[in-house]
Amino acid sequence: MNIPLEGASVRSRKLERFKCQAVPAARVVPTLAEDVLQGFARRPRVLPPKYFYDALGSELFDQICDTPEYYPTRTEARLLDQSAHSIICQVKPEHIIELGSGTSRKTAHLFEACEANGLEPSYWPFDVCEEVLHAAAEALLEAHPWLSVQALIGDYSAGLAHLPQPAGRRLFVFLGGTIGNLTPEESIAFLSELRGLMREGDAFLLGADRTKAPRLLQAAYDDASGLTAEFNRNVLNVINRALRGDFNPHAFDHLALYNEALQRIEMYLVARHDQEVHLMALERRYGFLHGERILTEISRKFTAESLTAELRAARLNPIRHYQTEDQYFSLVLAQPS
């Protein structure tokens, strides 16, 4: 197919504003096989939530975000829309570095605020999926002709030591309530590592979900349409493909519970009956009794006080706290202390 010269020229200019580079791991990250061996030796058995996001899992999660029950995505987007101007005016970033950027849809509010205030920072999205990075960059470059995108391919859980260090003020961004997928100890270690990269003038924007009525939390993770249940069970398909397993996903029920003592949602897969699973790549067989659970995700919920305490434990000083009127969600702007 011949591309019109004008269209080819526009595409060429976009490509000039887009670069992509791999970020080497700073430490060894367990493979899926290692995570299964370690996690299935525990009780309850455990799987890290990062394995949810194969092609089908990512598509299902996008659909979950549109369900009436799943408030976090749209609530955070609305809060960003309301607070982006204040955030950008306070930080005046020359670079915006987003960890776990995904489709960058919510981050677009920050670029609109930059444009309105005559600022033209570079964007450094950091994600494991190169295809998603390309698609997100294409949309952003179309919307903002001044923007340059320096995409980073890698896993932030493998360490941040090899992140590029561009000169100038940097705004590090970590959205989506993803901090809640980490235990308190993991969260403080991650935030401390990020703090170690920050210089005077840098800032950090964190999105975090808040505590609320357990019925609202459980509904958000167990929608009436069954999408979250399908999303949860799909991790067994991921294991089957990678480890030549014979899990029957429909032999497990989806369960979402709010653990009030730990202030977190816990998502499980629950065996519907006694069964045995063979993972040929591991040369292992695993028995599951009726009712036995696999913990597939935690999602911690924060009060304003617990959020502040966690940041301060990592030597990050909150300078502005944005929250929705119903206190369903928070954005915290922090600087190194």
Side-chain angles (χ1 to χ4, degrees), residues 44-300:
R45 288 169 169 151
V46 178
L47 286 170
K50 65 182 179 180
Y51 298 117
F52 282 136
Y53 298 97
D54 66 345
L56 176 57
S58 297
E59 181 183 333
L60 286 168
F61 184 71
D62 280 346
Q63 294 177 40
I64 289 166
C65 291
D66 292 331
T67 61
E69 298 95 336
Y70 195 78
Y71 63 85
T73 299
R74 59 178 172 268
T75 304
E76 184 179 38
R78 187 171 69 250
L79 185 56
L80 263 172
D81 183 41
Q82 295 167 355
S83 55
H85 174 81
S86 172
I87 293 165
I88 293 301
C89 287
Q90 178 123 5
V91 180
K92 296 182 174 60
E94 295 167 73
H95 306 276
I96 294 177
I97 302 172
E98 183 172 12
L99 307 176
S101 55
T103 61
S104 303
R105 280 185 294 183
K106 287 177 290 190
T107 324
H109 293 295
L110 296 176
F111 299 121
E112 290 163 9
C114 288
E115 197 165 276
N117 287 280
L119 297 171
E120 297 185 356
S122 297
Y123 179 44
W124 303 72
F126 186 21
D127 204 272
V128 294
C129 182
E130 184 172 358
E131 184 180 351
V132 171
L133 286 167
H134 276 267
E138 182 80 15
L140 287 169
L141 294 172
E142 179 73 30
H144 305 290
W146 53 267
L147 186 64
S148 67
V149 177
Q150 312 286 331
L152 305 170
I153 306 166
D155 181 353
Y156 61 78
S157 69
L160 306 175
H162 299 308
L163 271 182
Q165 297 284 331
R169 287 183 306 277
R170 299 170 298 173
L171 174 61
F172 292 88
V173 178
F174 194 48
L175 300 176
T178 311
I179 196 72
N181 296 141
L182 306 176
T183 65
E185 297 76 18
E186 290 168 340
S187 171
I188 292 169
F190 166 71
L191 294 173
S192 296
E193 184 177 19
L194 178 63
R195 164 64 181 83
L197 297 179
M198 295 175 72
R199 305 185 293 256
E200 186 177 352
D202 288 345
F204 174 51
L205 182 65
L206 176 65
D209 199 7
R210 296 284 294 273
T211 56
K212 53 187 66 66
R215 61 180 177 79
L216 295 174
L217 290 168
Q218 289 185 204
Y221 292 83
D222 192 11
D223 57 279
S225 61
L227 284 168
T228 308
E230 190 179 350
F231 173 75
N232 196 9
R233 282 193 285 262
N234 183 59
V235 75
L236 301 179
N237 292 323
V238 173
I239 293 174
N240 283 344
R241 285 196 306 272
L243 302 180
R244 290 183 288 133
D246 59 1
F247 269 109
N248 174 6
H250 293 285
F252 289 80
D253 285 320
H254 165 69
L255 177 65
L257 297 174
Y258 183 60
N259 183 329
E260 193 132 17
L262 297 177
Q263 294 187 322
R264 71 186 196 184
I265 281 284
E266 297 171 353
M267 265 188 6
Y268 295 94
L269 291 168
V270 185
R272 289 182 173 178
H273 51 76
D274 294 356
Q275 55 193 283
E276 185 178 78
V277 174
H278 185 197
L279 301 181
M280 289 182 279
L282 301 182
E283 298 182 345
R284 297 289 181 96
R285 293 181 182 274
Y286 292 97
F288 291 86
L289 299 176
H290 173 247
E292 189 171 350
R293 299 176 181 182
I294 306 172
L295 177 64
T296 55
E297 183 178 58
I298 65 166
S299 184
R300 289 190 298 136

